[in-house]
Amino acid sequence: MAEAYIVAATRTAGGRRGGRLSGWHPADLAAQVIDALVARSGIDPAAVEDVILGCVSQVGEQASNIARNAVLASTLPESVPGTSVDRQCGSSQQALHFAAQAVMSGSMDTVIAGGVESMTRVPMFTPNALPAKAGLGTYMSPAMQRRYPGVEFSQFTGAEMIAKNHGIEKEALDRYAFETHRRAIAATREGAFAAEVLPVEVRLADGSGAGGMHGVDEGIRFDVTLEGIQGVKLIAEGGRCTAATASQICDGASGVLVVNERGLKALGAKPLARIHHMSVMGHDPVVMLEAPIPATERALRKAGMAIGDIDLYEVNEAFAPVPLAWLQRLGADPARLNVNGGAIALGHPLGASGTRLMTTLIHALHQRGKRYGLQTMCEGGGMANVTIVERL
């Protein structure tokens, strides 16, 4: 079977809710990333055979196949199709998997995979809240309710369950959040994000512009203190998680260009990385966020690797208990985890986070001269994707 290579990877800096990206229509924001991938790789736009974008809240401005709408908002010709993927928070990681599978099969040679989410313009839970308000029902079918009687699926409940199941106290969560901000601050000040971030024009939600370009992740708290994090109130009474130890609501877009050997030869470019392994796994939908643990264990077995063979890991920080439980169970090295900070500091633009993490991982591997990187993230419904890449 053919190999799958990543030849370009970029992302916008994260924007806070109501912040510097809030005036961007999400299709236009995704189009900026698409155009940047074309420019960075030097590919003929007509050679792109498909665009696969992850997006979780596919309603309103993100409805009607946002991937195709992003193509039509970009410089790609009308001949380039597009399709949208919803695997919850793993949507754009799954978009990458679909793109890699397409080029490995030989049915396509060149595919753009990515994701976009404007959590300002299409607030979280909108796809559920609007139909419920209109009396159009809920995603919970009678069969699901019989299988899970009385269960209200909640990521917040799941985060608390993970913390308790793995004996992770609030103090450890607070310290982890503090450390991820420190890493993100250091990475920003040292220019570690310069090669991966695509600066875009500042556009505010009220239609005005503050001027200048947005190129620094807006969620990073450069004045962070451990005492400040410790003082944030609990999400649930008697719980352990706070808003400070959870991922930030965020606007953003990200993407990668994926090719096989034929595509690589036609492009005449040096690849950034090779896809070494990719898989996805379902797990307990009630705990929901624990799936990255068994998914990683299975992925390593299938790849014939041990956790010690992996040089860097990106585990999405939906909530601090997720990466901490992952570290604990895998016996992984904390120094290799989210080395430039994670979603607690950088933000979690849902459908864009998968290829955001991959973009950061690939650039970190190059900057540090490391070989193998692993990415995984928890997903609504109790699922997790795992991708292992080799730096080239």
Side-chain angles (χ1 to χ4, degrees):
M1 185 176 288
E3 299 278 13
Y5 302 96
I6 295 174
V7 295
T10 192
R11 68 175 181 96
T12 65
R16 288 179 123 178
R17 178 170 52 184
R20 294 163 68 88
L21 295 181
S22 59
W24 278 92
H25 189 291
D28 289 346
L29 190 62
Q32 293 284 305
V33 167
I34 290 170
D35 289 344
L37 292 170
V38 170
R40 290 181 180 211
S41 64
I43 194 171
D44 175 0
V48 177
E49 294 173 88
D50 204 359
V51 172
I52 308 172
L53 293 185
C55 184
V56 173
S57 297
Q58 295 186 33
V59 67
E61 293 185 1
Q62 296 177 165
S64 300
N65 190 7
I66 190 168
R68 175 60 173 167
N69 297 336
V71 169
L72 298 179
S74 76
T75 59
L76 294 179
E78 292 177 342
S79 59
V80 179
T83 192
S84 304
V85 175
D86 175 8
R87 202 187 282 281
Q88 296 293 281
C89 297
S91 295
S92 56
Q93 188 174 4
Q94 184 61 55
L96 169 58
H97 286 198
F98 283 152
Q101 288 163 355
V103 302
M104 290 169 73
S105 73
S107 62
M108 296 181 183
D109 297 331
T110 306
V111 180
I112 286 176
V116 65
E117 202 86 33
S118 176
M119 299 181 74
T120 295
R121 301 171 77 89
V122 186
M124 192 163 50
F125 308 126
T126 298
N128 295 334
L130 283 182
K133 199 174 196 179
L136 298 177
T138 173
Y139 73 95
M140 282 285 286
S141 73
M144 286 179 67
Q145 291 171 355
R146 286 194 297 271
R147 185 171 182 177
Y148 299 98
V151 172
E152 182 179 347
F153 296 111
S154 167
Q155 58 183 316
F156 304 105
T157 302
E160 292 290 354
M161 292 174 74
I162 291 175
K164 290 174 183 175
N165 291 347
H166 294 268
I168 303 170
E169 301 295 337
K170 181 180 180 296
E171 181 183 358
L173 303 179
D174 290 339
R175 289 189 178 278
Y176 181 87
F178 178 60
E179 178 62 21
T180 203
H181 274 284
R182 287 183 44 161
R183 291 185 181 193
I185 292 166
T188 301
R189 289 177 173 164
E190 293 165 8
F193 294 136
E196 70 187 66
V197 168
L198 168 68
V200 296
E201 181 184 26
V202 173
R203 294 186 184 177
L204 304 181
D206 62 5
S208 66
M213 303 295 285
H214 175 60
V216 175
D217 294 285
E218 201 174 3
I220 302 172
R221 294 181 171 87
F222 287 90
D223 59 351
V224 68
T225 64
L226 179 58
E227 293 73 23
I229 288 175
Q230 290 171 331
V232 176
K233 68 178 183 180
L234 295 168
I235 295 173
E237 188 176 347
R240 307 180 188 193
C241 297
T242 71
T245 57
S247 58
Q248 292 188 41
I249 290 173
C250 183
D251 303 333
S254 62
V256 297
L257 180 62
V258 184
V259 302
N260 57 18
E261 287 93 339
R262 281 197 306 267
L264 199 60
K265 186 176 180 181
L267 188 57
K270 186 178 185 301
L272 296 173
R274 178 184 68 86
I275 304 294
H276 184 72
H277 168 86
M278 53 188 173
S279 58
V280 62
M281 183 178 183
H283 194 246
D284 185 344
V286 179
V287 179
M288 191 182 296
L289 310 181
E290 203 169 37
I293 295 172
T296 299
E297 291 172 334
R298 190 180 73 169
L300 290 171
R301 287 196 301 271
K302 293 183 75 169
M305 303 179 78
I307 193 64
D309 298 325
I310 307 297
D311 298 298
L312 297 176
Y313 349 107
E314 286 285 331
V315 180
N316 194 41
E317 296 172 357
F319 296 85
V322 176
L324 283 174
W326 185 91
L327 280 171
Q328 183 186 107
R329 178 79 165 267
L330 271 294
D333 181 358
R336 304 183 191 186
L337 172 69
N338 300 350
V339 293
N340 290 330
I344 290 171
L346 303 175
H348 178 18
L350 300 183
S353 286
T355 42
R356 198 289 292 169
L357 267 66
M358 180 54 66
T359 294
T360 298
L361 177 59
I362 289 172
H363 283 88
L365 287 169
H366 277 267
Q367 289 163 359
R368 294 167 182 250
K370 302 299 184 180
R371 184 178 181 185
Y372 287 111
L374 182 147
Q375 175 198 346
T376 188
M377 54 206 309
C378 55
E379 301 158 3
M383 301 178 290
N385 286 70
V386 181
T387 316
I388 300 174
V389 295
E390 180 184 15
R391 175 189 65 85
L392 297 175

